[in-house]
Every structure is written in C-alpha cells, then in structure tokens.
Amino acid sequence: PPRGRRPRGSPRHMGRSSGGLELAMAVSPGRCPDCPGPERGGDGGAISSVPHLGIAVDERDVLPGALRLMRELRPGWDPARVKTKLFTDGITNKLVACYTEEGMGDAVLVRVYGRKTELFVDRETELRNFQVLRAHGCAPDLYCAFHNGLCYQFLPGIALGPDHVRDPRIFRLVAQEMARVHAIHANGSLPKPILWQKLHKYFTLVKMDLSPKVSNPSLQQDMPSLEMLEHELAWMKETLSQLGSPVVLCHNDLLCKNIIYDQTRERVHFIDYEYTGYNYQAFDIGNHFNEFAGVKEVDYGLYPSKETQLQWLHSYLQAYKQLTQGDRGGTEVSREELEALYVQVNKFSLASHFLWACWGLIQDKYSTIDFNFLRYAKLRFKQYFKMKPVVLALQIPK
C-alpha cells in the first residue's frame, strides 16, 4: 500500500467494497429530513439524477470497457493519450483509473462490481447514499452509473494503512469526518438500524450455502456450528439493542483503505459506500477500531488501546456535538459520556466481527478476487469469541 508521499495515483476505492452486501432501506436515503427542501444537501447542493450508460464492463478484463466508458464520458479526450492504472488492493470490486494528465489530476475512477455481489448489495440504495454524501460534501463527484458499476472523481491523497490510523494527528481527522457523516440526518426521523436485517440476511446466505451436506472439511475445521452462530446472533440482538446507541447515517465499512488522507488540505475523505446506511453510531466506530488490525495481514495486537480509543472518541464527540447542537449545547465532553461511548463501541465491535465473518464465507463461495476469504472468516469468528467475555465485563457508568 502507498506510504508517505504516495505515487499520486493511490486508489480511491480499495477496501472490502464491491463484494459488499447492502440491503434496501425502509426510507429512501435520497430524502434528507433535516435539509432545506425535500432533496437538497446541507450545503444547498441538490441531489440530482445520475446518468446511466448502457455499457457492461467485463469483470475479468476491465480495461476495454473502461476505455469505452471514457469515450462516452470524456469525448474530448484523445483515445491515444488515455492512460490507465489498475488497482489491485480491493477485495470486492475491480477498480481502474483513466486519465490523461501526468499527475492524474483529471482521473476518472471506474469501479466494476464483483461477481455475485448483487446477492448482498442493493445498488440503487448505494447510489442514493453516494448522492446524499456528495450533497453534504462527504463524497467525490459521481459521473455516471453503468450496467455493472460506477464512474466517479479521483480524490488526491494516500489510502491509509494500519500505521496511519494510529497517528493522533490523522485519527482526529478521521473521528471528525465520521462525526460529519453521522450528523447528516441526526435531527430527522430515522428508519430502523440496518444491522439486524443485514446480519440475518448474511447468516441466511451462510446457512443456505454452507449447510453440513455441502460443506467441505476445511470449512468444518475451526468453524463454530450453525446452531452456535444462530444462538450468538439472537444474543447480540437482545444485548446490543439495549445499549442506547443512537441511529445515524453510517459508513459501515471504514477499513483503512477506505480513508483517503489529503496532506495538502489536512482532510480525510471516506470512500466506498456499498454498506452505507442507517445504523448504530457505536457499530460504525467499533467496526473502524476492528479495522486497525488490517485486512490482508490481520493483527489484532493493533486494536487500539483504551487510551487511544478515549482520545479518538473525545475528538469525535466534540465534533458531533458541534455539528448537531451548535451553540445550543456546547462541545464539552463529560467523562461519563466518554466512558459510555467507549463501552458501547467495544460491545458493538462484536457485531462487526460476526458480520464480516459471515461476509467472508459468502465471498469464499462466489468471489473471483484473489484473497483467502475462508481464512479471513475464521479469523473474525475467532476474534469474536475471544473478545466476547472481555467486552461483557464492561459496564456503562450509571
């Protein structure tokens, strides 16, 4: 992954995304309940319709299709001068940048959905979420949708790694950006959190595809039984839904590579909105803390310490209060608030492990991307059971 001063083409879309699993929501995210006008962003930017091009790009050979898209999107470009850069870090979608300028300043990103991801991802919902985030200044420009993907603006910066997200200077920016996303609809009437619906959907897919009749010996090894997983799912819903975490608009997949750090502007942007939806505030944060461990080489020794978490959460709460309360409430963060959020976040981190473990099992069956999804799923289940007694002992201060 790019480090320090990146080759000015480090990817915008490299995370888990594109094998995503997103579900339709009860309320269209295109409506901003607290925004001026039925479909307007907080910065006054209207949510406009996105052009749809009737082009399908071959997932196994994306370059010809990407160049065909450029002929439609950028008719002024000389085809002989168009350069391409294929990004290989994503484990859900295929991503390529097309550009003519040396520094990639005019680059268009073409993201091609991974095989069978329609099983998990509601692409219409993803598109609406992309537009809502864009209207609020939290996403790049979206140029078009095509039959099996999207084209959008390239964001300058480096895609973060596990070393960056532990740097206090950078993690404060991440905390503030998450607060910005969470505050988008914080004052409107929000639909139910998608977590339980999503977990149920993933687990149902796992049960259908991985019943004992069809499962292989390598899957049986180190894997909890389906009965045990069903019990854990019921326990989580009962326990976590009682914690009082507010429902907000969440990214839901904030791994390191989905954060782009622009050093010149001292700003971070989040990318990949396949999993975006209304969810528990503490899930989004707990999921991000789990991602400190990395994806390709997972090391849970990198999970943030309590001290680091409290610093992160303090920056987040200050920004969130400022954005949602303004001058009315002040931005003082009490020790009780901080401790309560810390407990909620660490308990919800269990749901994150469970979710991505199920996702890994499904991807193991369908994805054409070169990644050991089965090993990843087993690691996430192992960490779930390891952390469960630890987080169970945490109590929200009275």
Side-chain angles (χ1 to χ4, degrees):
R3 291 277 184 272
R5 290 192 61 79
R6 69 159 216 256
R8 251 199 70 135
S10 65
R12 289 13 336 184
H13 265 103
M14 304 196 313
R16 190 152 27 214
S17 79
S18 245
L21 306 96
E22 194 46 59
L23 306 175
M25 293 178 200
V27 174
S28 158
R31 284 184 61 253
C32 297
D34 58 332
C35 294
E39 295 219 338
R40 298 190 69 80
D43 59 357
I47 296 174
S48 55
S49 61
V50 178
H52 281 255
L53 301 181
I55 292 173
V57 177
D58 185 346
E59 186 217 356
R60 293 157 302 181
D61 184 17
V62 298
L63 292 184
L67 293 170
R68 187 176 163 210
L69 284 163
M70 289 313 104
R71 289 198 290 274
E72 297 285 334
L73 276 181
R74 297 289 183 266
W77 283 4
D78 174 0
R81 291 188 56 237
V82 178
K83 301 183 184 72
T84 58
K85 179 176 174 61
L86 191 63
F87 298 117
T88 57
D89 284 337
I91 56 171
T92 318
N93 308 303
K94 304 284 177 74
L95 182 73
V96 62
C98 299
Y99 59 99
T100 62
E101 294 177 4
E102 205 48 56
M104 294 181 72
D106 62 348
V108 174
L109 288 167
V110 179
R111 180 157 61 100
V112 183
Y113 301 145
R115 179 175 176 267
K116 290 285 188 181
T117 55
E118 69 280 1
L119 283 173
F120 327 118
V121 183
D122 182 327
R123 296 298 179 183
E124 290 301 313
T125 297
E126 178 194 6
L127 206 55
R128 290 197 299 269
N129 284 328
F130 200 132
Q131 291 170 283
V132 168
L133 290 166
R134 175 70 198 104
H136 288 265
C138 294
D141 291 338
L142 181 58
Y143 300 136
C144 77
F146 54 94
H147 180 65
N148 59 330
L150 299 172
C151 295
Y152 49 91
Q153 177 189 17
F154 175 89
L155 295 174
I158 59 167
L160 297 188
D163 49 346
H164 299 108
V165 289
R166 294 197 310 279
D167 178 337
R169 191 170 52 94
I170 295 177
F171 76 53
R172 287 191 179 95
L173 297 175
V174 175
Q176 288 159 6
E177 184 67 11
M178 190 182 282
R180 191 175 285 118
V181 171
H182 287 182
I184 287 176
H185 290 164
N187 302 321
S189 60
L190 298 179
K192 289 177 182 173
I194 60 172
L195 181 61
W196 310 120
Q197 184 193 7
K198 203 181 208 183
L199 277 168
H200 179 72
K201 168 81 170 175
Y202 292 12
F203 185 60
T204 302
L205 286 165
V206 167
K207 278 199 298 188
M208 280 174 6
D209 291 336
L210 306 170
S211 64
K213 286 178 292 190
V214 297
S215 53
N216 57 55
S218 68
L219 187 58
Q220 293 295 330
Q221 214 175 352
D222 312 322
M223 270 289 295
S225 69
L226 290 172
E227 292 74 22
M228 182 186 280
L229 294 179
E230 194 139 31
H231 171 78
E232 291 301 322
L233 188 48
W235 173 81
M236 271 192 297
K237 185 171 184 180
E238 172 68 25
T239 308
L240 301 182
S241 57
Q242 304 298 316
L243 292 176
S245 181
V247 175
V248 293
L249 184 63
C250 291
H251 184 281
N252 291 321
D253 187 25
L254 207 59
L255 41 74
C256 299
K257 295 289 177 215
N258 281 345
I259 307 169
I260 304 302
Y261 172 45
D262 183 348
Q263 290 165 299
T264 56
R265 293 182 177 83
E266 272 300 294
R267 169 93 195 258
V268 298
H269 285 94
F270 301 160
I271 58 170
D272 283 342
Y273 316 116
E274 289 174 305
Y275 305 89
T276 297
Y278 297 104
N279 210 348
Y280 297 104
Q281 174 193 57
F283 174 87
D284 214 13
I285 302 171
N287 183 72
H288 175 58
F289 287 170
N290 282 340
E291 298 297 350
F292 277 47
V295 174
K296 295 212 169 174
E297 296 300 325
V298 180
D299 175 7
Y300 285 110
L302 298 176
Y303 188 78
S305 65
K306 181 171 184 181
E307 182 190 1
T308 298
Q309 287 191 49
L310 291 178
Q311 288 178 38
W312 197 105
L313 294 169
H314 191 274
S315 293
Y316 168 87
L317 280 171
Q318 268 195 324
Y320 185 71
K321 288 179 130 187
Q322 179 66 46
L323 289 160
T324 55
Q325 299 173 16
D327 299 330
R328 288 178 292 114
T331 57
E332 274 304 307
V333 176
S334 71
R335 186 74 195 176
E336 291 73 27
E337 282 177 295
L338 204 53
E339 284 288 341
L341 184 54
Y342 169 78
V343 173
Q344 290 171 335
V345 161
N346 284 274
K347 287 180 184 282
F348 268 99
S349 70
L350 291 179
S352 157
H353 286 309
F354 195 99
L355 180 86
W356 295 116
C358 290
W359 172 92
L361 293 178
I362 300 160
Q363 287 289 79
D364 181 59
K365 176 167 181 176
Y366 292 112
S367 180
T368 60
I369 289 169
D370 180 20
F371 182 79
N372 192 336
F373 290 103
L374 180 57
R375 177 174 170 270
Y376 184 74
K378 289 179 177 181
L379 274 170
R380 297 302 297 252
F381 277 133
K382 183 180 177 185
Q383 193 65 12
Y384 171 93
F385 286 105
K386 180 181 175 182
M387 293 309 297
K388 185 181 175 184
V390 177
V391 302
L392 267 178
L394 299 175
Q395 296 296 322
I396 292 177
K398 299 292 182 216

